[in-house]
């Protein structure tokens, strides 16, 4: 009897763990989809260069306001991604998690530390976005 109870306890625990695992991955998949759409809206030039043309009519002027909006976007998305426990994600989602996090942190670093907009006049050449 004790073995049967132990077996069902282990089985129940593994099933509940699997449901939690699947829910975590499904929730993260949903987040990734929302993230990419928000990324395209935030960076219409990037979206256009990758073949997503919904925001082709939008052009971001590379000024202080655009950089401020980019930093707000990065902070919001980094806060969102923190709510996922990476240990419950599949290997593919772990990779996506790190890619998203790295992209957001890189964007912050380029604005806050590298500051090419201060010393590189080519940053203000928006012709490439028009050409695409």
């Amino acid at each position: 009897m004790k073995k049967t109870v132990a077996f069902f306890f282990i089985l129940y625990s593994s099933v509940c763990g699997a449901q939690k695992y699947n829910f975590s991955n499904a929730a993260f998949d949903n987040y990734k989809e929302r993230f990419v759409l928000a990324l395209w809206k935030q960076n219409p030039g990037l979206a256009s260069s990758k073949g997503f043309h919904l925001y082709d009519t939008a052009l971001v002027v590379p000024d202080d306001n655009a950089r401020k909006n980019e930093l707000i976007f990065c902070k919001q998305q980094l806060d969102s991604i923190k709510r996922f426990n990476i240990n419950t994600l599949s290997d593919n989602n772990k990779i996506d998690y790190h890619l998203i996090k790295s992209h957001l942190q890189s964007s912050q670093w380029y604005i806050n530390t590298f500051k090419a907009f201060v010393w590189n006049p080519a940053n203000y050449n928006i012709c490439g976005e028009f050409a695409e």
Side-chain angles (χ1 to χ4, degrees), residues 44-60:
L46 176 64
S48 189
S49 72
K50 301 300 181 193
F52 187 80
H53 299 287
L54 184 64
Y55 301 111
D56 281 354
T57 58
L59 184 63
V60 176

Side-chain angles (χ1 to χ4, degrees), residues 10 17 39 58 61 89 120 126:
I10 292 170
L39 179 66
V61 177
L89 299 176
N120 186 358
I126 56 175

Side-chain angles (χ1 to χ4, degrees), residues 4 14 16 54-55 76 87 127 132:
T4 305
S14 65
C16 288
L54 184 64
Y55 301 111
Q76 289 171 341
N87 296 322
C127 184
E132 295 175 1

Side-chain angles (χ1 to χ4, degrees), residues 3-125:
K3 287 182 181 178
T4 305
V5 171
F7 172 75
F8 282 114
F9 178 75
I10 292 170
L11 180 63
Y12 175 77
S13 296
S14 65
V15 168
C16 288
Q19 287 175 345
K20 182 179 178 185
Y21 179 79
N22 290 335
F23 174 76
S24 294
N25 281 297
F28 190 73
D29 286 339
N30 190 359
Y31 167 77
K32 288 189 302 187
E33 188 172 323
R34 290 189 326 270
F35 169 77
V36 170
L37 292 175
L39 179 66
W40 293 155
K41 190 172 184 179
Q42 180 70 26
N43 297 295
L46 176 64
S48 189
S49 72
K50 301 300 181 193
F52 187 80
H53 299 287
L54 184 64
Y55 301 111
D56 281 354
T57 58
L59 184 63
V60 176
V61 177
D63 61 3
D64 287 337
N65 192 42
R67 287 185 290 276
K68 178 184 169 192
N69 287 337
E70 180 71 13
L71 290 172
I72 290 169
F73 174 78
C74 290
K75 184 180 179 338
Q76 289 171 341
Q77 294 300 321
L78 284 167
D79 288 345
S80 292
I81 205 169
K82 283 180 191 174
R83 65 173 219 245
F84 295 100
N85 181 352
I86 195 165
N87 296 322
T88 63
L89 299 176
S90 67
D91 290 342
N92 288 341
N93 277 340
K94 286 178 185 177
I95 292 168
D96 290 343
Y97 178 98
H98 287 295
L99 287 171
I100 292 169
K101 186 176 178 185
S102 178
H103 172 78
L104 295 167
Q105 290 173 333
S106 171
S107 294
Q108 289 177 323
W109 184 85
Y110 274 101
I111 293 171
N112 292 328
T113 305
F114 193 62
K115 297 182 181 183
F117 58 90
V118 172
W119 53 268
N120 186 358
N123 260 21
Y124 296 95
N125 182 0

